[in-house]
Short mmCIF file of all heavy atoms in Angstrom, two decimals:
data_model
loop_
_atom_site.label_atom_id
_atom_site.label_comp_id
_atom_site.label_asym_id
_atom_site.label_seq_id
_atom_site.Cartn_x
_atom_site.Cartn_y
_atom_site.Cartn_z
N ASN A 259 46.68 -18.46 -6.44
CA ASN A 259 47.21 -17.73 -7.58
C ASN A 259 46.17 -17.67 -8.68
O ASN A 259 44.98 -17.96 -8.63
CB ASN A 259 48.51 -18.38 -8.00
CG ASN A 259 48.23 -19.81 -8.40
OD1 ASN A 259 47.11 -20.33 -8.65
ND2 ASN A 259 49.37 -20.70 -8.44
N LEU A 260 46.64 -17.08 -9.89
CA LEU A 260 45.73 -16.87 -11.11
C LEU A 260 45.15 -18.15 -11.59
O LEU A 260 43.89 -18.17 -11.78
CB LEU A 260 46.50 -16.23 -12.10
CG LEU A 260 45.72 -15.83 -13.36
CD1 LEU A 260 44.53 -14.89 -13.03
CD2 LEU A 260 46.58 -15.21 -14.42
N THR A 261 45.87 -19.22 -11.58
CA THR A 261 45.31 -20.51 -12.01
C THR A 261 44.20 -20.95 -10.94
O THR A 261 43.32 -21.46 -11.46
CB THR A 261 46.40 -21.58 -12.12
OG1 THR A 261 47.39 -21.23 -13.04
CG2 THR A 261 45.87 -22.91 -12.48
N THR A 262 44.59 -20.91 -9.72
CA THR A 262 43.62 -21.25 -8.65
C THR A 262 42.24 -20.60 -8.84
O THR A 262 41.16 -21.03 -8.59
CB THR A 262 44.27 -21.15 -7.25
OG1 THR A 262 45.46 -21.82 -7.20
CG2 THR A 262 43.15 -21.60 -6.30
N LEU A 263 42.43 -19.28 -9.04
CA LEU A 263 41.15 -18.40 -8.98
C LEU A 263 40.52 -18.29 -10.37
O LEU A 263 39.69 -17.50 -10.58
CB LEU A 263 41.61 -16.95 -8.56
CG LEU A 263 42.30 -16.94 -7.21
CD1 LEU A 263 42.61 -15.36 -6.83
CD2 LEU A 263 41.41 -17.48 -6.23
N SER A 264 40.87 -19.13 -11.41
CA SER A 264 40.33 -19.03 -12.69
C SER A 264 38.99 -19.70 -12.82
O SER A 264 38.39 -19.71 -13.87
CB SER A 264 41.24 -19.58 -13.70
OG SER A 264 41.49 -20.98 -13.49
N GLY A 265 38.50 -20.42 -11.88
CA GLY A 265 37.27 -21.11 -11.84
C GLY A 265 36.09 -20.31 -11.36
O GLY A 265 35.67 -19.27 -11.92
N CYS A 266 35.53 -20.77 -10.26
CA CYS A 266 34.29 -20.05 -9.77
C CYS A 266 34.54 -18.59 -9.37
O CYS A 266 33.57 -17.72 -9.44
CB CYS A 266 33.74 -20.90 -8.61
SG CYS A 266 33.01 -22.56 -9.07
N ASP A 267 35.77 -18.22 -8.84
CA ASP A 267 36.05 -17.02 -8.45
C ASP A 267 35.92 -16.04 -9.70
O ASP A 267 35.66 -14.77 -9.59
CB ASP A 267 37.59 -16.83 -8.04
CG ASP A 267 37.79 -17.80 -6.80
OD1 ASP A 267 37.89 -18.87 -6.92
OD2 ASP A 267 37.70 -17.18 -5.66
N ASN A 268 36.06 -16.69 -10.92
CA ASN A 268 36.08 -15.71 -12.10
C ASN A 268 34.82 -16.02 -12.99
O ASN A 268 34.79 -15.80 -14.16
CB ASN A 268 37.32 -16.15 -12.98
CG ASN A 268 37.73 -14.98 -13.92
OD1 ASN A 268 37.50 -13.89 -13.66
ND2 ASN A 268 38.18 -15.44 -15.14
N SER A 269 33.93 -16.46 -12.33
CA SER A 269 32.54 -16.74 -12.99
C SER A 269 31.26 -16.07 -12.37
O SER A 269 31.38 -15.58 -11.29
CB SER A 269 32.26 -18.34 -12.98
OG SER A 269 33.34 -19.04 -13.50
N ASN A 270 30.28 -15.88 -13.26
CA ASN A 270 29.07 -15.32 -12.68
C ASN A 270 28.35 -16.32 -11.79
O ASN A 270 28.18 -17.62 -12.17
CB ASN A 270 28.10 -14.80 -13.86
CG ASN A 270 28.54 -13.58 -14.38
OD1 ASN A 270 29.07 -12.71 -13.71
ND2 ASN A 270 28.42 -13.43 -15.74
N ILE A 271 27.93 -16.08 -10.66
CA ILE A 271 27.07 -16.89 -9.79
C ILE A 271 25.70 -16.32 -9.52
O ILE A 271 25.59 -15.13 -9.59
CB ILE A 271 27.74 -17.26 -8.50
CG1 ILE A 271 28.03 -16.06 -7.61
CG2 ILE A 271 29.21 -18.05 -8.84
CD1 ILE A 271 28.60 -16.36 -6.33
N LEU A 272 24.78 -17.09 -9.23
CA LEU A 272 23.47 -16.71 -8.94
C LEU A 272 23.31 -16.05 -7.63
O LEU A 272 23.60 -16.69 -6.58
CB LEU A 272 22.54 -17.82 -9.05
CG LEU A 272 21.05 -17.60 -8.91
CD1 LEU A 272 20.39 -16.94 -10.12
CD2 LEU A 272 20.20 -19.01 -8.83
N VAL A 273 22.84 -14.87 -7.61
CA VAL A 273 22.82 -14.13 -6.37
C VAL A 273 21.37 -13.84 -6.02
O VAL A 273 21.02 -13.70 -4.80
CB VAL A 273 23.46 -12.78 -6.44
CG1 VAL A 273 25.02 -12.97 -6.44
CG2 VAL A 273 22.95 -11.88 -7.50
N LYS A 274 20.42 -13.97 -7.07
CA LYS A 274 19.03 -13.72 -6.75
C LYS A 274 18.20 -14.48 -7.77
O LYS A 274 18.13 -14.18 -8.87
CB LYS A 274 18.58 -12.29 -6.72
CG LYS A 274 17.22 -11.93 -6.35
CD LYS A 274 16.82 -10.57 -6.38
CE LYS A 274 15.40 -10.14 -5.96
NZ LYS A 274 15.11 -8.78 -6.00
N PRO A 275 17.80 -15.68 -7.39
CA PRO A 275 16.92 -16.57 -8.23
C PRO A 275 15.79 -15.76 -8.93
O PRO A 275 15.21 -14.99 -8.19
CB PRO A 275 16.56 -17.74 -7.27
CG PRO A 275 17.43 -17.80 -6.22
CD PRO A 275 17.71 -16.23 -5.97
N PRO A 276 15.42 -16.14 -10.27
CA PRO A 276 16.04 -17.07 -11.00
C PRO A 276 17.14 -16.48 -11.88
O PRO A 276 17.89 -17.34 -12.57
CB PRO A 276 14.90 -17.63 -11.69
CG PRO A 276 13.93 -16.53 -12.05
CD PRO A 276 14.13 -15.69 -10.70
N LEU A 277 17.31 -15.21 -12.14
CA LEU A 277 18.02 -14.68 -13.26
C LEU A 277 19.10 -13.72 -12.96
O LEU A 277 19.71 -13.09 -13.84
CB LEU A 277 17.02 -14.16 -14.37
CG LEU A 277 16.07 -15.21 -14.91
CD1 LEU A 277 15.08 -14.46 -15.90
CD2 LEU A 277 16.86 -16.28 -15.67
N THR A 278 19.25 -13.39 -11.69
CA THR A 278 20.33 -12.32 -11.30
C THR A 278 21.68 -13.03 -11.00
O THR A 278 21.76 -13.78 -10.03
CB THR A 278 19.86 -11.56 -10.08
OG1 THR A 278 18.51 -10.84 -10.42
CG2 THR A 278 20.89 -10.35 -9.83
N PHE A 279 22.71 -12.75 -11.73
CA PHE A 279 24.00 -13.12 -11.51
C PHE A 279 24.94 -12.10 -11.33
O PHE A 279 24.79 -10.99 -11.75
CB PHE A 279 24.51 -14.05 -12.77
CG PHE A 279 23.61 -15.28 -13.15
CD1 PHE A 279 22.35 -15.24 -13.77
CD2 PHE A 279 24.07 -16.56 -12.66
CE1 PHE A 279 21.64 -16.31 -13.96
CE2 PHE A 279 23.40 -17.62 -12.93
CZ PHE A 279 22.06 -17.51 -13.56
#
Side-chain angles (χ1 to χ4, degrees):
N259 57 21
L260 183 58
T261 300
T262 304
L263 302 181
S264 63
C266 294
D267 300 81
N268 200 33
S269 303
N270 284 326
I271 62 175
L272 184 65
V273 297
K274 186 176 181 181
L277 296 174
T278 303
F279 293 82

